[in-house]
Amino acid sequence: MFVTSSKRPDVVHVGALFSFHSVIGKAAKIAMEEAVIDVNNDFKILNGTKMKLFMDDTNCSVFKGSIGAFQMLENDVVAIIGPQSSTVAHMISQLANGVQVPVISYAATDPTLSSLQFPYFFRTTQSDSYQMAAMANLIDFYGWKEVIAIYTDDEYGRNGVFSLDDEVEKRESKISYKLALPTNYNLNDLTDVLNNSIPYGPRVYIVHINPDPDLKIFEVANKLNMMTSDYVWLTTDWLCTTLASFTAQNQPSYKIIEGVVGLCQHTPKASQMKNFGPNVYGSYAYDTVWTVARTIDNFLNQEKNMTFSLVGSQFGKLKIFDGGKDFIKILSGTHFNGLTGPIHFDVDRNLVPRGYTVFNMAKLVVQNVGYWSNHSGLSIDPPESLKVDKRYLDEKLGVITWPGGKTDRPRGWVIGDRERPLRIGIPKRASFVEFVTELSNHTIQGYCIDVFMEALKLVPYELPYRFMPFGDGLSNPSYDDLVRSVTDDVFDGAVGDIAIVTNRTKIVDYTQPYATTGLVIVVPINDSKASAWVFLRPFTTEMWCVTAVAFILIAFVIWLLEHRVNDDFRGPLKRQLTTIFLFSFSTLFKRNQEDTISPLGRMVMVVWLFLLMVITSSYTASLTSILTVEQLSSPITGIDSLVASHLPVGYQVGSFASTYLAESLFVARSRLIPLGSPDEYEKALRLGPHHKGGVAAIVDELPYVELFLLDHADFGIVGQPFTRSGWGFAFKRDSPLATTLSVAILQLSENGKLQEIHDKWFCKKGCSSAEGRDAEPNQLQMSSFWGLYIICGVFSLIALALFLLQTIRQYIYYKHKQMQDPSSPSFPTSSSRGCYGVLFNFFDFIDKKEEAIKNMFKKDDHPEAS
């Protein structure tokens, strides 16, 4: 069955569902009634067709709204304006999908209404997804990383806060706590929620509720002393809407919201405002009526029929709008200037956003401190006047007066106060108590405690706390369990010798390390001073061999260079051999009896003596080290040999060393022996790996080992630390205390206070060295001295080359003279011919004293002198 109307009907029915007596509804009712009058009096629109508006009061009830919607649809309405409640809008939108009647809301801001699930839902106000982006930007602008959200537990509140959660996460902040209120909350509900939030750390509250003329949440906050300078209160546009409904009689209520900062939907100044009061939703309702009227006009101008089809007999008089699909297409393209500014829809059927105004309640006056829009960010100028992208703008706001009357940015969090001080867990150690422990009189002391106390002095605000020992004091507690207690909210933080390791950083935040540490290996040592051949140990075998060869070669070079000019290097063969070796080796100890005369010989001696000086000095230093430094006797010489061996290894009870050895180095857990005190360390190391309860080595953190070695000289560190880490204080994830105390620790390090605290606790008997000891001092290698040997060899070769050139020149001159004058003086020569004879004669010539040869040349040149 079909019901039809003429192409240009006399009357078009439009429905309006809203709560008549709500803050928004009061303004909207007046605005819509006036809008209908204006539309019907305007001959430029609808061309004689009149608009009739059916209004129904939902009282923000889904039940009443559903009944009203069904009754309204029986009147052949082509559109439904409203509802203002997001909860009611969800239900009405489902119904609208079935009957193909668009729902155009001027106040339902739930972001999920823009989903594809509701193609017939349109919004002539800004979505909360946009408002929450503005709120997140405001939070980020002031640098707050954690906030608390209070909201009504309905679609409007929940979905708005979920949208805010997404936005703050993009800016690396988070909503730490989401506190829900019943939809019809009372003062007791508010008191319970706010009271429960006081122990939480964040002090930045985001309030997203429905408009409340009584401002009950701030009434309770004032009674609970939560409007002081420690707190920040930010509201969505519900507060702005509420304040817009106030009259002069309500001004005393302004006092309880002093310092509150909120958002208002921004309306461009160029827009023409009718007298609906300051409530912007009245203007949105007025524009919504005009939006529907223009859509109807365009629909009729396209000669489309407004027909309705009965759904079915089982649904009574409920009808489907046959032209609904065409109607929403025309509605989507609507574009005109309304009271609130340009009216047109984006792809999600939302009003294209205009931005928000940021206001501050200060001195009983609502003060405009800035604006926000997606393209300009936060600014003190209206967004319509800024056409530059926000990436090129410096965000800023006007001066804000916060709760308590201060204009400085509030910190935004309070971890502890005098009523509920910080719960600081400390390990109740049974050994190495110099680091941290609880004494029998319940006094907490130790190196780590002193560092914490000094760091607190540099924190620019009071931080009440109380120490809570962790462990029974009979054995060292598990540090993994201590850190886990912070995550489980047993403690607010943990202070002590807590190593910063990977698995712990996944569940807590650490401060800057205040001590450098790492795992090292401790083994027994013995004394090598009684060795009969200890004097050979400074040099490697290669070094000894090369040095011996060098002595022989230098002896030969010096003999060759001095033989022709120095009588000390001449004589019988036995004497010359003795002279050669005695001369070379005696250069180590004293001045030689034989002096070098030739310039080339002296040059070689200078280089040789320099080499000997370096070698003897290095030998003396190495031998001294061997004779004074104790040596390690364990088969464990480093981490590789420890892992490769099958010997038992000790570790400190409660330390992460056992986990690291087993899980990272794959050392069998059956090899790991827990040890609880320095005495147990000593006993286990002395027993050795082949006795029950004994170990070959102990793996522990460097600070403990240094303290152990101060009183136990029979043990030492082998190799270098094989992990690098530090000690820090642990706090809950994203706790601002971790950052605050990190800055304080850096200041302690820079001003030298950290070192003073260390010396106070660990230098009473002399500070131990942090450097590990090797199994024995490194022997002097040839690689350390090859450069000197090359220099000495090069100078020796140059000297030999010059000597041979000089000698060959003399020999040639001698032979030349002999050929010119056979009667000239000569030395006995070999009668042999050939190369052998020449070489024999040349070597025989070399063996002659150079002075004799020169005299012979003189006689040859001046025979009359003879």
Side-chain angles (χ1 to χ4, degrees):
M1 178 179 181
F2 294 93
V3 179
T4 61
S5 64
S6 62
K7 291 185 177 180
R8 177 67 67 171
D10 295 331
V11 178
V12 176
H13 296 168
V14 176
L17 293 171
F18 61 101
S19 179
F20 288 179
H21 303 291
S22 65
V23 172
I24 294 176
K26 289 176 182 179
K29 188 174 186 297
I30 297 172
M32 286 190 288
E33 289 173 345
E34 185 168 340
V36 171
I37 295 173
D38 290 344
V39 167
N40 289 332
N41 290 336
D42 192 337
F43 297 104
K44 298 179 181 178
I45 193 168
L46 293 183
N47 195 21
T49 299
K50 299 297 181 181
M51 175 187 287
K52 184 176 181 180
L53 188 66
F54 293 91
M55 295 186 181
D56 194 82
D57 186 3
T58 65
N59 198 26
C60 291
S61 166
V62 174
F63 176 71
K64 290 184 178 180
S66 301
I67 294 176
F70 277 106
Q71 292 175 345
M72 198 167 284
L73 289 170
E74 291 178 356
N75 293 320
D76 296 345
V77 295
V78 297
I80 296 176
I81 298 175
Q84 68 193 56
S85 166
S86 296
T87 303
V88 178
H90 271 272
M91 194 284 303
I92 302 300
S93 295
Q94 294 280 10
L95 182 59
N97 290 346
V99 298
Q100 299 181 9
V101 173
V103 175
I104 305 101
S105 177
Y106 52 85
T109 56
D110 174 11
T112 62
L113 288 168
S114 300
S115 66
L116 297 176
Q117 181 184 3
F118 305 118
Y120 285 86
F121 179 84
F122 286 75
R123 188 173 2 229
T124 53
T125 186
Q126 300 181 105
S127 168
D128 273 345
S129 62
Y130 199 65
Q131 178 171 212
M132 295 310 172
M135 183 62 72
N137 201 159
L138 185 62
I139 294 168
D140 183 58
F141 178 76
Y142 286 104
W144 297 310
K145 295 302 180 182
E146 294 186 64
V147 301
I148 295 175
I150 299 177
Y151 61 96
T152 50
D153 195 9
D154 57 12
E155 282 81 356
Y156 161 74
R158 282 193 305 271
N159 295 330
V161 168
F162 290 157
S163 180
L164 176 62
D165 204 3
D166 293 338
E167 291 295 335
V168 295
E169 188 175 346
K170 294 176 185 177
R171 295 162 174 82
E172 298 182 354
S173 299
K174 71 174 185 176
I175 302 176
S176 299
Y177 303 95
K178 300 182 180 74
L179 309 180
L181 290 168
T183 52
N184 296 313
Y185 59 85
N186 54 37
L187 292 178
N188 290 332
D189 297 325
L190 289 167
T191 302
D192 291 342
V193 166
L194 294 183
N195 254 329
N196 292 335
S197 74
I198 292 176
Y200 303 150
R203 286 293 183 264
V204 180
Y205 287 80
I206 313 299
V207 183
H208 183 56
I209 58 179
N210 290 303
D212 177 19
D214 298 325
L215 302 176
K216 291 189 290 289
I217 189 168
F218 294 111
E219 179 185 343
V220 174
N222 274 275
K223 289 180 180 179
L224 296 177
N225 200 31
M226 296 177 67
M227 297 297 290
T228 61
S229 58
D230 288 335
Y231 290 83
V232 175
W233 291 90
L234 306 178
T235 71
T236 52
D237 64 347
W238 70 268
L239 180 59
C240 178
T241 303
T242 301
L243 296 178
S245 67
F246 280 8
T247 63
Q249 296 176 347
N250 300 113
Q251 279 204 346
S253 301
Y254 288 179
K255 187 175 181 180
I256 66 173
I257 58 172
E258 188 74 13
V260 174
V261 175
L263 297 176
C264 283
Q265 298 212 36
H266 173 64
T267 302
K269 288 184 179 180
S271 304
Q272 295 180 353
M273 300 295 293
K274 278 186 169 286
N275 188 22
F276 304 129
N279 191 333
V280 70
Y281 285 102
S283 298
Y284 278 130
Y286 182 90
D287 285 343
T288 304
V289 173
W290 274 93
T291 302
V292 173
R294 288 178 180 274
T295 305
I296 294 172
D297 187 50
N298 289 333
F299 183 87
L300 295 176
N301 288 339
Q302 294 179 17
E303 298 184 353
K304 296 183 181 295
N305 294 325
M306 286 189 173
T307 61
F308 295 86
S309 304
L310 289 173
V311 176
S313 58
Q314 68 271 31
F315 294 101
K317 298 181 180 179
L318 193 63
K319 304 168 187 175
I320 296 174
F321 180 22
D322 296 328
K325 292 183 179 179
D326 293 329
F327 193 87
I328 62 172
K329 288 181 181 178
I330 297 171
L331 179 60
S332 299
T334 301
H335 196 162
F336 70 98
N337 288 323
L339 292 183
T340 58
I343 304 294
H344 60 105
F345 300 98
D346 60 19
V347 294
D348 293 324
R349 306 174 307 283
N350 295 318
L351 181 70
V352 173
R354 288 86 173 265
Y356 286 85
T357 300
V358 183
F359 74 91
N360 174 220
M361 178 58 69
K363 299 178 181 179
L364 303 181
V365 176
V366 178
Q367 297 182 355
N368 182 356
V369 295
Y371 303 89
W372 182 90
S373 73
N374 195 37
H375 76 271
S376 64
L378 292 168
S379 69
I380 58 175
D381 298 315
E384 61 270 16
S385 67
L386 299 172
K387 302 301 181 183
V388 182
D389 192 281
K390 64 181 178 182
R391 291 175 296 178
Y392 308 105
L393 293 171
D394 291 329
E395 293 190 318
K396 54 185 175 180
L397 290 173
V399 177
I400 290 178
T401 302
W402 302 99
K406 296 182 179 180
T407 56
D408 296 333
R409 181 191 75 90
R411 188 168 67 245
W413 57 270
V414 176
I415 298 285
D417 52 34
R418 295 188 182 278
E419 295 180 0
R420 184 187 177 277
L422 279 173
R423 300 163 298 168
I424 302 296
I426 62 108
K428 191 174 182 180
R429 295 191 59 89
S431 63
F432 298 108
V433 295
E434 292 86 347
F435 292 101
V436 57
T437 196
E438 181 187 32
L439 303 182
S440 57
N441 61 358
H442 303 297
T443 302
I444 308 297
Q445 69 173 28
Y447 163 68
C448 305
I449 299 300
D450 282 1
V451 173
F452 178 70
M453 301 293 285
E454 288 296 328
L456 284 185
K457 293 178 182 178
L458 299 176
V459 175
Y461 46 84
E462 185 181 6
L463 199 62
Y465 66 92
R466 62 187 175 97
F467 289 127
M468 300 175 64
F470 180 80
D472 56 14
L474 302 177
S475 63
N476 294 332
S478 167
Y479 280 65
D480 284 339
D481 290 343
L482 173 61
V483 171
R484 200 172 294 112
S485 296
V486 176
T487 304
D488 295 341
D489 200 34
V490 177
F491 304 126
D492 296 310
V495 169
D497 45 341
I498 306 170
I500 303 173
V501 293
T502 304
N503 65 318
R504 296 173 186 169
T505 58
K506 295 177 181 178
I507 59 175
V508 296
D509 281 349
Y510 277 95
T511 62
Q512 175 79 13
Y514 62 86
T516 302
T517 183
L519 292 178
V520 294
I521 303 172
V522 182
V523 297
I525 58 176
N526 61 24
D527 192 351
S528 63
K529 292 182 281 188
S531 174
W533 301 98
V534 68
F535 67 90
L536 293 176
R537 295 178 61 182
F539 286 168
T540 60
T541 303
E542 180 188 22
M543 184 69 178
W544 278 118
C545 293
V546 172
T547 303
V549 171
F551 272 102
I552 295 172
L553 292 177
I554 288 297
F556 173 74
V557 171
I558 294 297
W559 172 83
L560 191 60
L561 296 176
E562 294 292 319
H563 178 69
R564 302 184 68 206
V565 296
N566 193 338
D567 290 337
D568 291 335
F569 291 87
R570 300 183 67 81
L573 178 61
K574 182 178 179 181
R575 179 190 171 191
Q576 291 190 47
L577 290 174
T578 303
T579 300
I580 288 173
F581 289 105
L582 287 178
F583 175 85
S584 178
F585 286 102
S586 64
T587 53
L588 283 170
F589 315 109
K590 62 182 181 64
R591 183 180 179 276
N592 305 86
Q593 294 179 353
E594 301 82 5
D595 291 327
T596 52
I597 296 176
S598 69
L600 295 176
R602 290 178 175 178
M603 179 184 72
V604 172
M605 279 300 297
V606 168
V607 179
W608 173 246
L609 290 174
F610 175 72
L611 183 146
L612 284 181
M613 179 191 70
V614 174
I615 291 179
T616 53
S617 299
S618 302
Y619 175 88
T620 303
S622 181
L623 183 60
T624 301
S625 175
I626 291 174
L627 293 175
T628 56
V629 176
E630 293 168 319
Q631 304 299 303
L632 305 171
S633 62
S634 171
I636 306 298
T637 58
I639 187 60
D640 293 332
S641 59
L642 180 142
V643 174
S645 73
H646 298 284
L647 301 175
V649 178
Y651 69 91
Q652 183 184 167
V653 174
S655 169
F656 75 96
S658 61
T659 303
Y660 180 82
L661 290 172
E663 297 181 2
S664 298
L665 301 182
F666 306 104
V667 176
R669 290 191 181 274
S670 58
R671 292 176 54 194
L672 303 179
I673 308 298
L675 302 171
S677 67
D679 292 339
E680 292 186 19
Y681 280 22
E682 181 182 15
K683 180 180 178 181
L685 287 170
R686 291 196 187 283
L687 283 174
H690 304 297
H691 294 83
K692 185 177 180 181
V695 296
I698 292 174
V699 174
D700 203 353
E701 293 180 74
L702 185 59
Y704 303 123
V705 171
E706 289 180 336
L707 194 59
F708 172 73
L709 295 180
L710 283 177
D711 297 320
H712 300 83
D714 297 336
F715 309 99
I717 300 173
V718 61
Q720 301 294 324
F722 57 91
T723 65
R724 299 286 181 180
S725 62
W727 286 349
F729 306 140
F731 295 95
K732 295 177 183 177
R733 292 301 297 259
D734 301 318
S735 171
L737 265 183
T739 303
T740 302
L741 285 177
S742 291
V743 175
I745 289 170
L746 286 174
Q747 290 176 318
L748 290 178
S749 177
E750 292 170 358
N751 63 23
K753 193 65 180 179
L754 269 184
Q755 188 62 43
E756 289 181 20
I757 299 172
H758 177 274
D759 294 347
K760 167 190 169 183
W761 282 96
F762 306 119
C763 291
K764 298 173 184 177
K765 302 177 183 179
C767 291
S768 60
S769 172
E771 298 179 1
R773 309 181 193 180
D774 292 332
E776 63 180 26
N778 291 329
Q779 292 179 308
L780 298 175
Q781 306 285 335
M782 181 61 199
S783 58
S784 302
F785 299 97
W786 67 268
L788 284 175
Y789 280 105
I790 288 179
I791 292 173
C792 187
V794 168
F795 273 87
S796 298
L797 289 175
I798 292 173
L800 284 175
L802 293 175
F803 170 78
L804 289 175
L805 287 174
Q806 180 184 8
T807 305
I808 291 171
R809 187 178 68 82
Q810 290 179 347
Y811 181 73
I812 293 173
Y813 183 73
Y814 162 73
K815 296 299 289 183
H816 179 70
K817 287 293 185 181
Q818 194 178 43
M819 291 176 62
Q820 287 183 344
D821 185 4
S823 61
S824 62
S826 63
F827 300 106
T829 59
S830 171
S831 58
S832 304
R833 295 183 177 275
C835 292
Y836 176 78
V838 173
L839 289 174
F840 179 84
N841 291 333
F842 178 68
F843 285 119
D844 186 62
F845 179 79
I846 292 176
D847 188 53
K848 303 303 178 183
K849 195 171 183 180
E850 187 172 3
E851 184 180 359
I853 294 174
K854 289 181 178 179
N855 288 336
M856 182 187 67
F857 288 162
K858 289 180 181 178
K859 290 179 180 180
D860 238 5
D861 294 335
H862 307 285
E864 65 281 359
S866 57

